[in-house]
Amino acid sequence: MDLCSRQGDTLDMASEIHMPGPVCLIENTKGQLVPNPEALKILSAIKQPLVVVAVVGLYRTGKSYLLNKLAGKNKGFSLGYTVQSHTKGIWMWCVPHPEKPSHTLVLLDTEGLGDVEKDDNQNNSWIFALAILLSSTFVYNSVGTINQQAIDQLHYVTKLTERIRAKSSPGDSEVKDSADFVSFFPDFVWALRDFSLELEANGQPITADEYLELSLKLKQGTNIKTESFNEPRFCIRKFFPKKKCFIFDRPTQRKYLAHLEKLQEEDLNPEFREQVADFCSYIFKSSKTKTLSGDITVNGPRLESLVLTYVNAISSGDLPCMENAVLALAQIENSAAVKKAIAHYDQQMRQKLRLPTDTLQELLDLHRASEKEAIKVFMKNSFKDVDLKYQEELRICLVAKQDDFCKQNVKASSDHCVALLQHIFSPLEEDVKRGTFAKPGGYYLFLQKRQELTNKYYQVPRKGIQAEETLRKYLESKQDVADTLLKTDQSLTEKEKESQVQRVRAECAEGAQKMLDEMQKKNEQMMEEKEKSHLEYVKQLTEKMEKDKTEFQAEQQRILELKLQEQARLFEERFQKVQNEKEANERKTGNNTNNVHICNIL
């Protein structure tokens, strides 16, 4: 399996772009070039950078086959091997780029030049010019060698300065030597089909690139013939600083060419398969991303814009202008960038803003933070806003948004406070209706109640910036009620007031008498309690004294008994002593003496 087929399998597995086959990008109907809305819709959905490869050449030279191989398919772009051109206008096939992640490879197949059924040579020039304008790699496909006939068939390149302008100013139309004109040109690849010569010069082998350089070498001289020889070569060398050449052998025998897309790889010439693989590999690795002046990367929507701008210019009889195309693209994208920025601002405010805010500064701080992020979004998605026109448009929109949010904040605060006041003060209004305050002093009771409810209103959080103003207006609107209550209070007659006073006095006197009666009754109860308490005290004291007397007498008796016992003991001891002495004396002097002695003692 060759490289292109392997890449094709990779594309099938990783494809995120669902294009089963090519679609017409620019239709060529009755000499009019018209963009195809279906193709433009496909481009508008591709946000990745694009590598755009366009193949241009004579009809029946196998352009579509190379493009199918770049797409990794055997079928896709129509292959024509009759004398009629199959491809009309410019056809497009978008596939994931096999070598550059997150890139899309856009393949453009152009209507064959030199169609025998078409006599509109100007139409060929426009298709050639559009292929230059839209591609980042321009493949010129031809059959045979690079001879004078092949160079002459490339005469469209000498007309490019008549078909394309770099600048919009009329004075800048002559741009043959202008770097601006060449800077946007694609890389040039010459594909030589059915090449049968040996690549050598002066007996030495050369490369295909060297062969191309030799073929584009200019002749010396100033005559008409030399200038005619040099002009296309000079234009190719000048307009395409980067050039590459590939040669291809015949893919198979002539009788099988009409069924080339049905042939298996092994049925093709091995040298041809290898040459196609080298070609595909070079395109995949070396083809650059499509850019505009200022290194602006082209994605699907931008390529869509270029197609519309260039084709519209051609249809209107003007020349496609690169500067105008960039300006038109800038206008589209900058307008879209403003919308994205505003949408981002709205999203941030919806997520973070809670109306009403406590202070105006809270809202302004949130606006500034969201505004800063919105400007970042704009800067990321805009380009070529050299006069700051769209940035100023964004600023004006954001100022208007700020004013609108401020108005919303005021209204939200006012509505919230009105509802809150109605809820808090409704009981007071009901009391007024019921005549609660229609009495002397009612006005001052009303003011006291109103102040209590006002304090309650102040305690509720997040009322917003209209809290004071709404309260002021509410109180002003109810001032006539307060005035009416004041007049009612003042209109009471002296008699009514005296009656009120007498009633109050009577109530006070009655209350005082009741108080005296209660006090007297309590005093009597206290005296009775004191008398009972005194008698109880005397009783308890008497009982205690009797108890103490009994206890004292018992104690005296006990003490007396103790004394008698002590005296008896002492007597016993003295008696025993005497007895002992007696017995001793008896032993000494006899019994008589002892008896006399004892009697004396007694």
Side-chain angles (χ1 to χ4, degrees), residues 38 59 73 85 88 97 115 118 124 130 147 190 195 211 224 235 249 277 304 366 369 395 438 487 490 507 526 538 590:
E38 178 186 354
Y59 73 104
K73 304 290 184 180
S85 173
K88 298 295 182 181
H97 198 291
D115 186 354
K118 184 175 62 177
N124 285 337
L130 286 172
N147 51 26
W190 196 319
F195 188 80
Y211 173 64
I224 296 177
C235 290
D249 291 344
E304 174 193 14
L366 182 56
R395 186 193 68 80
K487 291 178 180 179
Q490 292 174 342
E507 291 174 354
M526 288 176 62
V538 171

Side-chain angles (χ1 to χ4, degrees), residues 449-571:
K449 185 65 175 178
R450 187 177 69 176
Q451 186 59 47
E452 291 175 0
L453 297 178
T454 300
N455 294 338
K456 183 178 179 181
Y457 170 78
Y458 279 128
Q459 292 172 1
V460 177
R462 292 196 68 85
K463 295 185 291 294
I465 60 178
Q466 290 296 105
E468 290 292 341
E469 179 65 15
T470 306
L471 176 62
R472 183 188 65 80
K473 289 181 178 180
Y474 175 81
L475 294 179
E476 284 184 355
S477 69
K478 302 299 180 181
Q479 187 59 42
D480 57 340
V481 176
D483 293 342
T484 300
L485 290 176
L486 178 59
K487 291 178 180 179
T488 301
D489 200 354
Q490 292 174 342
S491 66
L492 292 174
T493 64
E494 291 298 326
K495 184 177 179 180
E496 290 173 331
K497 291 182 179 180
E498 183 63 27
S499 175
Q500 292 280 348
V501 171
Q502 293 298 330
R503 186 173 64 253
V504 171
R505 287 176 179 175
E507 291 174 354
C508 290
E510 183 181 353
Q513 185 62 44
K514 287 181 179 180
M515 186 180 296
L516 290 174
D517 294 343
E518 286 292 328
M519 290 177 64
Q520 184 175 358
K521 184 177 180 180
K522 287 182 179 179
N523 287 334
E524 292 175 353
Q525 290 176 349
M526 288 176 62
M527 293 301 292
E528 291 177 358
E529 290 295 328
K530 285 182 179 181
E531 182 66 24
K532 290 180 181 179
S533 178
H534 176 70
L535 293 175
E536 181 67 23
Y537 173 74
V538 171
K539 179 183 178 182
Q540 291 178 358
L541 182 60
T542 302
E543 290 176 350
K544 187 174 187 307
M545 290 176 65
E546 290 294 332
K547 181 179 179 182
D548 290 345
K549 180 179 178 181
T550 301
E551 290 177 352
F552 177 76
Q553 290 174 350
E555 181 66 19
Q556 291 294 322
Q557 183 65 33
R558 188 179 65 81
I559 293 172
L560 180 60
E561 290 176 354
L562 289 174
K563 285 182 177 181
L564 291 175
Q565 290 175 1
E566 180 64 22
Q567 288 178 0
R569 185 183 62 79
L570 290 174
F571 178 79

Side-chain angles (χ1 to χ4, degrees), residues 199-210:
L199 282 176
E200 61 178 31
N202 300 321
Q204 297 295 324
I206 58 174
T207 65
D209 292 338
E210 290 171 337

